[in-house]
Amino acid sequence: MKRLGVKMKLFKIYLFVFIILNSLQAKEKIFIVEREDSSLAVISKDSKKNTIKNMKNMNHGVVKFKDKDGYVISRDGYIIKFDPILEKITATYKTSKSAIGFVVAKYYVAVANYDDKSVDILTRDLKPIKKIFTDSKNVGIKIYNNYLIFSQMNKDTISIYKDLNLGEKEPNFKLYKEFKEVGELPFDAMIKDEKYIVGFFTSKHFGVVDLKKMEFQKVKIFLDENRQMVLKVPHFGFWSIGGDKVFVPAVGDKKVLVYDNNFKFIKNIQTKGLPVFTSLSPKKDFLAVTYSGKDFPIIEIIDTKTLKIIKSFTFDGKVLHLRWSEEKPKLYVSINDSNKVAVINTKKWIVQKEILDIKKPSGIFIYKRSE
């Protein structure tokens, strides 16, 4: 009986610890840009729970998270800090009349501006540190170690600034290196390992900077000569890297381009329409693709092993964004015209639920929190 009592006590202790640990696991909270309502919708457990107002012009609103902070950039040049747990704005700063992208590091926020042709360096609480004037619209801003990298659209130039404080306190950025004549009208970029990859409006290649060697190369894009005009320029931040492959939405052609990790061409996947976004599942086994023009309401799912389309969904409105859950087999799809977000079950490949009353939804962003 004594042994049984000891076992029961141990079991209760283990059960208590299990419950505590389970409660501390990351839980997803979803923030959705309400494009024409200057707000963020807050989704928890697949239901709308709240709305954060006064987010300025959200036509191309982007949300990023760092530690326990959330940040939003608005099209009219505001950077907004908010508390994703308490769901309230904590600071606001206007960098220009038009901002296009930003990054968040341990001690700073950097904003790439269109309007006043500059890059703003701010503290994490949005106090100004430095403004870098470039005489160009600035895009594709990224961080690599102690370097800040961005592209100058009007000058066809990639600029690399080095933090002389080596990331140990608020930064002191100085120009380190520039690559000129990289391609016509750079517009967005991504970081893959030590590679800064940039795409262009009109050039039939993309550019790659090896940030360890500080060397630049052009990688040709395999497209037909007579290209259709794309209605919405793909954001190359939504290129997808899947294990041993890189997936790129073709500009102006009905293809997803597939490369290996050394950017050697593998094949083109023929798609329904002109691709805008490619988004890779957490296990890198599936790729979701969205389209522009008449195919706006469609998304297609590609198996990344066979490189074949395995499923297609058609919705009752324009699909502007999608996001895979990292915790559950779900894919969230914002359907702008219908004021809703569809939840796709990615095991059965069916629409499991529709979250209604989301005003003109576009970008979907997931914050992991502890409860």
Side-chain angles (χ1 to χ4, degrees), residues 43-49 315 330-333 335 340-345 350-356:
I43 306 298
S44 181
K45 297 179 181 177
D46 292 347
S47 295
K48 184 176 180 179
K49 300 298 184 184
F315 297 96
K330 293 178 180 180
L331 176 63
Y332 294 89
V333 182
I335 307 163
K340 65 185 178 185
V341 170
V343 185
I344 294 174
N345 182 314
I350 59 170
V351 176
Q352 179 175 301
K353 184 175 181 178
E354 292 181 338
I355 305 171
L356 305 177

Side-chain angles (χ1 to χ4, degrees), residues 52-256:
I52 306 176
K53 298 284 190 180
N54 302 316
M55 286 289 180
K56 310 300 181 182
N57 185 336
M58 293 294 273
N59 274 336
H60 293 276
V62 176
V63 180
K64 293 185 179 181
F65 302 102
K66 181 72 172 177
D67 306 322
K68 293 185 178 181
D69 298 325
Y71 295 88
V72 176
I73 192 171
S74 68
R75 189 55 189 257
D76 50 347
Y78 285 91
I79 182 81
I80 300 167
K81 181 181 179 181
F82 70 98
D83 187 322
I85 298 172
L86 299 179
E87 300 165 11
K88 66 177 186 179
I89 294 172
T90 57
T92 301
Y93 183 83
K94 187 172 178 65
T95 61
S96 67
K97 290 182 181 178
S98 179
I100 197 64
F102 74 109
V103 288
V104 185
K106 184 177 181 180
Y107 291 109
Y108 70 90
V109 178
V111 182
N113 297 307
Y114 256 31
D115 175 74
D116 70 348
K117 299 180 178 180
S118 72
V119 172
D120 276 277
I121 313 298
L122 312 170
T123 69
R124 286 283 297 271
D125 289 326
L126 307 186
K127 305 296 183 185
I129 297 173
K130 183 175 185 176
K131 186 181 267 289
I132 302 168
F133 287 100
T134 63
D135 195 32
S136 171
K137 293 179 179 178
N138 302 291
V139 295
I141 190 165
K142 301 295 175 185
I143 296 171
Y144 174 76
N145 293 341
N146 298 315
Y147 297 99
L148 182 68
I149 310 102
F150 57 88
S151 296
Q152 297 183 37
M153 181 183 285
N154 303 113
K155 293 183 176 180
D156 301 338
T157 295
I158 297 172
S159 298
I160 301 173
Y161 280 74
K162 185 175 182 179
D163 176 14
L164 301 183
N165 290 335
L166 303 177
E168 295 179 0
K169 54 183 178 180
E170 290 180 4
N172 178 18
F173 281 112
K174 298 292 182 184
L175 181 62
Y176 180 76
K177 192 175 183 66
E178 285 190 328
F179 298 95
K180 299 181 181 297
E181 298 181 358
V182 293
E184 295 178 6
L185 296 174
F187 69 90
D188 204 357
M190 68 179 290
I191 289 280
K192 178 193 178 292
D193 301 325
E194 72 281 359
K195 305 290 197 305
Y196 176 83
I197 307 166
V198 61
F200 306 94
F201 269 113
T202 52
S203 294
K204 293 184 180 181
H205 69 270
F206 56 90
V208 180
V209 177
D210 186 317
L211 295 167
K212 280 189 175 179
K213 299 177 180 178
M214 289 296 166
E215 296 175 351
F216 175 79
Q217 65 171 317
K218 295 179 180 179
V219 178
K220 292 182 179 178
I221 295 177
F222 289 78
L223 290 174
D224 298 331
E225 289 182 5
N226 300 318
R227 298 195 302 168
Q228 296 171 270
M229 291 298 293
V230 69
L231 298 181
K232 180 177 180 181
V233 177
H235 291 267
F236 279 30
F238 281 82
W239 290 9
S240 298
I241 302 168
D244 59 349
K245 299 182 184 73
V246 178
F247 299 92
V248 181
V251 178
D253 207 349
K254 295 180 179 180
K255 295 181 178 73
V256 169

